[in-house]
Amino acid sequence: AQSVSQHNHHVILSEAASLELGCNYSYGGTVNLFWYVQYPGQHLQLLLKYFSGDPLVKGIKGFEAEFIKSKFSFNLRKPSVQWSDTAEYFCAVLGGYNKLIFGAGTRLAVHP
Amino acid sequence: DGGITQSPKYLFRKEGQNVTLSCEQNLNHDAMYWYRQDPGQGLRLIYYSQIVNDFQKGDIAEGYSVSREKKESFPLTVTSAQKNPTAFYLCASSIDIGPHYGYTFGSGTRLTVV
C-alpha cells in the first residue's frame, strides 16, 4: 500500500537550531516526493519537490531535502531555524492517478 | 491572480443537514481534489476528478458527494450520512498530464457540526 510516515508529530526548537524532519514513504512506482508547509492561518504551500536527478533538493526559505532511495526517505532539513518557521510540515508522495498521499504532519514550534 | 477559492471560510451545520462546500479555480487545471484535514492525521483524500463529468472516490468517500459539471468548479457535499463531519476541508487542483508540479491548495473551509 502507498503510505507516508512522518516520525515526529511535534518538534520544539530554539532559534538558530538545526532542523531535520523525518519522512519515509512506501510506493512501488516512480517516486515523486514533496514537502508542503502550512503556516498558521494560511494555505498549504509547496516547499520543495523531487522528481529525478540530484537527490539533494533545495527549496524556498533555506530548506532542503535529501532523497535516499535505499532508505525510502526524504528528510527535510534547515541549518538554522527562525521563529517564522513555526508551522506544520507535510511530506507527500505522488501515487497512482496523480494522487498526493500525505503524511500525518509535523508541528514545528520555534522559540525566540 | 490565478488561484483556488474556497467558500465559506467557516460553516456551521446542524446534525442531520447536508451542506455544500464551494471550490472554484481559475488556473485551467484539469484535476481537482478534496482533502479532509484532522489533527494528527494529515490530509486524507475524499474525492478527486481528473476531467469534467468524471470523478473518483478517494480513501474516505463515505458520507460525501461531489460533482464536476464545469472545469473550474468542484463542489463537495457533506451529507447527513457522514458520521464525524467536523473538520477542516481543503480543495486542490493540478495539471493532470506531463511533469507534475504538485498541487495548488485553497485556503480551506472549517466545518463544525453543532
Side-chain angles (χ1 to χ4, degrees), chain A residues 16-71:
Chain A
S18 65
L19 170 72
E20 181 160 2
L21 301 182
C23 172
N24 287 93
Y25 65 90
S26 168
Y27 181 61
T30 301
V31 176
N32 293 341
L33 294 157
F34 303 81
W35 275 98
Y36 280 85
V37 61
Q38 190 175 34
Y39 297 104
Q42 294 190 27
H43 299 204
L44 271 161
Q45 301 172 38
L46 182 65
L47 262 183
L48 49 79
K49 58 186 181 291
Y50 170 80
F51 290 150
S52 63
D54 189 344
L56 185 61
V57 179
K58 294 197 184 298
I60 60 171
K61 305 189 182 193
F63 286 91
E64 65 180 31
E66 186 174 12
F67 170 55
I68 303 180
K69 189 174 181 180
S70 60
K71 294 185 179 180

Side-chain angles (χ1 to χ4, degrees), chain B residues 60-108:
Chain B
I60 55 164
E62 187 176 345
Y64 299 98
S65 66
V66 292
S67 62
R68 186 87 187 274
E69 296 174 4
K70 298 186 298 181
K71 188 174 185 177
E72 303 79 23
S73 179
F74 191 42
L76 173 75
T77 296
V78 184
T79 76
S80 56
Q82 168 49 233
K83 292 182 180 137
N84 185 20
T86 294
F88 190 55
Y89 291 88
L90 283 165
C91 180
S93 70
S94 72
I95 59 169
D96 194 50
I97 56 174
H100 201 283
Y101 298 101
Y103 293 1
T104 300
F105 281 89
S107 55

Side-chain angles (χ1 to χ4, degrees), chain A residues 41-107:
Chain A
Q42 294 190 27
H43 299 204
L44 271 161
Q45 301 172 38
L46 182 65
L47 262 183
L48 49 79
K49 58 186 181 291
Y50 170 80
F51 290 150
S52 63
D54 189 344
L56 185 61
V57 179
K58 294 197 184 298
I60 60 171
K61 305 189 182 193
F63 286 91
E64 65 180 31
E66 186 174 12
F67 170 55
I68 303 180
K69 189 174 181 180
S70 60
K71 294 185 179 180
F72 301 92
S73 71
F74 190 55
N75 292 356
L76 181 71
R77 300 194 293 246
K78 185 170 184 178
S80 175
V81 294
Q82 302 171 314
W83 175 79
S84 58
D85 293 323
T86 295
E88 189 159 16
Y89 293 81
F90 295 93
C91 182
V93 65
L94 193 66
Y97 300 103
N98 280 344
K99 294 183 292 181
L100 269 180
I101 300 156
F102 287 87
T106 298
R107 284 185 183 267

Side-chain angles (χ1 to χ4, degrees), chain B residues 10-63:
Chain B
Y10 298 96
L11 188 56
F12 295 88
R13 189 196 90 175
K14 291 184 181 177
E15 283 196 31
Q17 283 182 336
N18 294 353
V19 288
T20 297
L21 282 58
S22 170
C23 178
E24 304 277 330
Q25 54 103 356
N26 60 3
L27 299 163
N28 200 33
H29 284 169
D30 292 302
M32 296 186 75
Y33 310 83
W34 274 105
Y35 283 87
R36 172 181 169 139
Q37 185 178 5
D38 296 282
Q41 297 193 57
L43 281 73
R44 293 179 291 167
L45 183 64
I46 304 172
Y47 267 98
Y48 64 102
S49 167
Q50 293 174 297
I51 197 168
V52 174
N53 292 323
D54 186 52
F55 48 83
Q56 306 296 330
K57 291 182 179 180
D59 301 317
I60 55 164
E62 187 176 345

